[in-house]
Amino acid sequence: MEYQALLARQKAFFDRGAALDTDFRICALKRLKDAIRRETADLANALWEDLNKSPSEAYLTEIGPTLSEIDFAISHIRRWTRPRRVPTPLAHFPAKSRIYPSPYGCTLILSPWNYPFQLAVIPLISALAAGNTAILKPGEDAPATAAALARLVKGCFPEEYVTVVQGGAETSQALLSLPFRKIFFTGSPSVGRLVMAQAAEHLASVTLELGGKCPCIVDETADLALAARRIVFGKFLNAGQTCVAPDYLLVHEEKKEPLLTLLKEEISRQYGRDPLKNPSYVRIINRRHFRRLTALLEGERILWGGVGEEASCKLVPTLLDGPAWDRPVMEEEIFGPILPLLTYRREEEVYAALERHPEPLALYLFTRRTPWREKLLRSLTFGGACVNDTVVHLANPHLPFGGVGTSGLGSCHGRAGFLAFTHEKGVLIRGGRPDLPFRYPPYSSQKDWILGQFLK
């Protein structure tokens, strides 16, 4: 495909102004919603083929959140797109000041393989709600979902408005060389740096959803049974292949053993005594990632699990006992069903531990202590957080979701997603009179004083 010509056609479509109309955008989102509902079975089958996701998990983690995001955008889009009035300084009297939301134009969405439907379509929803055109490049490691997504989008929209481009790294590179106005990337920090460097060539606006080592703190006041249930859910959902999954536990030393017992019970309750025989247990995306994960286990003390099956690319939920900070499993984002347990005695040890991996995409805290909670939430830098739960903050469209520093740049979901694909134009509207003479040259000391008093 000639990507430059495709981008030119999308630019011509945008320049015609059809997508500026709010009703047009709402109709586009409704068409997308109807298509997703029609193709739910096809999408679920594709997710099963790529990741062994059961239909229930496919709907819970991919299709359902996407439909909710569409509904939220449709119900709020008129308010988001309306120019809003802001105060005007007395120096500009008489005048009105307004902010006009304006689409960027032609946008590029680069999505990953771990949630290959949700993480592709939710940014697309935001792009369309904001009035842009979009080229969507899904992750090549989930080819069945990418193909299903391409069929769905082709059935909804002309390619000069929205299209899906499939391919590998060379396709992404070719697309990144083009002058898009906005690039939305979800993936690893290393690739995110490359995307940002490419975007700089055309001064494109960029949103980066990256990752990092997300800590989960369990203090001595926590409800351990609740913590175990929700940690196991958040960590081993999608076989740990989640950018906001708890990457390691920091547990008060007095609670390590009881929590460990409860974690083992919860793993068996949620995934069975032998997860390898559980037909609905998600697999690792491919053998390369499976081998990367098993290599992280070498030399570590395994408290639970540690068993894998390369032929099926399945690795059972695994708990590790206190690996050193310089071990590979503690130096990189795990992105798999491996959970290290570390302990602390004093609060200062928690801060020292978190400084080793600053700016995580998510932070989780299980506690009943409000002062401790507020101290951590206010003093630490992170993308988002849950208190007494894990990962579910993503499901609230009223909350912005995004990283900071090495975990990302910008936010998405709900209005934050709309703003990610929108330039807000500041506009001052004045009449002709009065036109105060002291603002114009030639200036004098008396004029300077008057103007200074007026502008205070």
Side-chain angles (χ1 to χ4, degrees), residues 80 95 103 169 180 234 236 243 247 274 312 325 351 411 430 445 448 454:
W80 293 343
F180 289 94
F236 301 113
C243 58
D247 202 85
D274 186 356
S312 62
W325 288 101
Y351 288 97
S411 299
R430 292 198 70 190
S445 58
D448 290 344
F454 191 70

Side-chain angles (χ1 to χ4, degrees), residues 108 110 171-178 180 183 195 198-199 202:
L108 173 65
L110 301 172
T171 301
S172 298
Q173 186 66 31
L175 290 168
L176 285 168
S177 68
L178 301 178
F180 289 94
I183 299 172
V195 170
Q198 285 286 99
H202 301 288

Side-chain angles (χ1 to χ4, degrees), residues 413-446:
H413 291 191
R415 187 170 185 269
F418 173 84
L419 292 176
F421 287 90
T422 297
H423 168 63
E424 292 194 305
K425 297 183 291 193
V427 178
L428 182 76
I429 303 170
R430 292 198 70 190
R433 294 289 184 270
D435 192 28
L436 301 176
F438 59 75
R439 64 177 283 189
Y440 301 107
Y443 298 115
S444 65
S445 58
Q446 185 179 14

Side-chain angles (χ1 to χ4, degrees), residues 161-236:
Y161 180 34
V162 185
T163 193
V164 173
V165 173
Q166 300 179 70
E170 70 288 345
T171 301
S172 298
Q173 186 66 31
L175 290 168
L176 285 168
S177 68
L178 301 178
F180 289 94
R181 298 291 300 279
K182 174 74 184 186
I183 299 172
F184 191 106
F185 169 79
T186 306
S188 68
S190 59
V191 179
R193 291 184 178 91
L194 299 176
V195 170
M196 198 166 184
Q198 285 286 99
E201 294 294 321
H202 301 288
L203 297 179
S205 175
V206 178
T207 297
L208 303 176
E209 295 293 345
L210 306 177
K213 295 187 76 66
C214 301
C216 181
I217 305 160
V218 182
D219 79 0
E220 67 275 20
T221 70
D223 181 333
L224 295 185
L226 181 72
R229 185 178 310 120
R230 293 177 176 177
I231 289 168
V232 167
F233 169 79
K235 174 60 184 181
F236 301 113

Side-chain angles (χ1 to χ4, degrees), residues 128-149:
L128 300 186
N132 302 280
T133 67
I135 294 177
L136 174 56
K137 162 62 178 65
E140 64 270 21
D141 286 334
T145 307
L149 184 57

Side-chain angles (χ1 to χ4, degrees), residues 62-339:
E62 305 252 15
I63 298 168
T66 303
L67 291 172
S68 296
E69 188 79 14
I70 294 176
D71 288 338
F72 190 82
I74 289 173
S75 63
H76 289 82
I77 192 170
R78 294 193 190 280
R79 187 184 313 161
W80 293 343
T81 56
R82 191 180 302 136
R84 68 182 190 274
R85 193 165 180 171
V86 294
T88 304
L90 182 62
H92 300 298
F93 178 82
K96 295 179 288 187
S97 298
R98 290 177 180 163
I99 296 174
Y100 285 74
S102 175
Y104 277 113
C106 299
T107 68
L108 173 65
I109 299 169
L110 301 172
S111 62
W113 53 261
N114 58 321
Y115 289 88
F117 181 72
Q118 184 215 132
L119 294 182
V121 180
I122 285 183
L124 176 63
I125 294 164
S126 297
L128 300 186
N132 302 280
T133 67
I135 294 177
L136 174 56
K137 162 62 178 65
E140 64 270 21
D141 286 334
T145 307
L149 184 57
R151 291 191 297 271
L152 183 145
V153 168
K154 187 175 182 180
C156 286
F157 309 115
E159 70 171 12
E160 62 267 24
Y161 180 34
V162 185
T163 193
V164 173
V165 173
Q166 300 179 70
E170 70 288 345
T171 301
S172 298
Q173 186 66 31
L175 290 168
L176 285 168
S177 68
L178 301 178
F180 289 94
R181 298 291 300 279
K182 174 74 184 186
I183 299 172
F184 191 106
F185 169 79
T186 306
S188 68
S190 59
V191 179
R193 291 184 178 91
L194 299 176
V195 170
M196 198 166 184
Q198 285 286 99
E201 294 294 321
H202 301 288
L203 297 179
S205 175
V206 178
T207 297
L208 303 176
E209 295 293 345
L210 306 177
K213 295 187 76 66
C214 301
C216 181
I217 305 160
V218 182
D219 79 0
E220 67 275 20
T221 70
D223 181 333
L224 295 185
L226 181 72
R229 185 178 310 120
R230 293 177 176 177
I231 289 168
V232 167
F233 169 79
K235 174 60 184 181
F236 301 113
L237 184 73
N238 204 42
Q241 299 168 116
T242 305
C243 58
V244 291
D247 202 85
Y248 61 96
L249 290 182
L250 278 172
V251 185
H252 193 278
E253 62 179 12
E254 294 178 359
K255 301 299 180 181
K256 177 190 174 183
E257 291 305 321
L259 179 62
L260 176 59
T261 299
L262 291 165
L263 288 170
K264 293 176 180 178
E265 292 174 359
E266 277 300 326
I267 291 171
S268 296
R269 182 177 293 114
Q270 295 185 30
Y271 295 101
R273 290 288 178 184
D274 186 356
L276 294 179
K277 294 181 180 178
N278 182 343
S280 298
Y281 182 55
V282 173
R283 66 168 168 259
I284 307 306
I285 188 65
N286 56 37
R287 293 192 178 190
R288 177 172 63 86
H289 281 280
F290 178 88
R291 291 167 185 158
R292 177 186 64 81
L293 290 168
T294 54
L296 294 179
L297 299 178
E298 294 177 5
E300 301 299 343
R301 185 184 172 202
I302 296 173
L303 298 169
W304 182 264
V307 180
E309 190 177 79
E310 186 170 340
S312 62
C313 284
K314 286 188 175 183
L315 179 64
V316 303
T318 299
L319 305 176
L320 300 182
D321 188 17
W325 288 101
D326 60 355
R327 296 290 298 167
V329 75
M330 294 305 298
E331 290 184 328
E332 62 182 72
E333 183 180 3
I334 295 171
F335 219 69
I338 300 170
L339 183 60

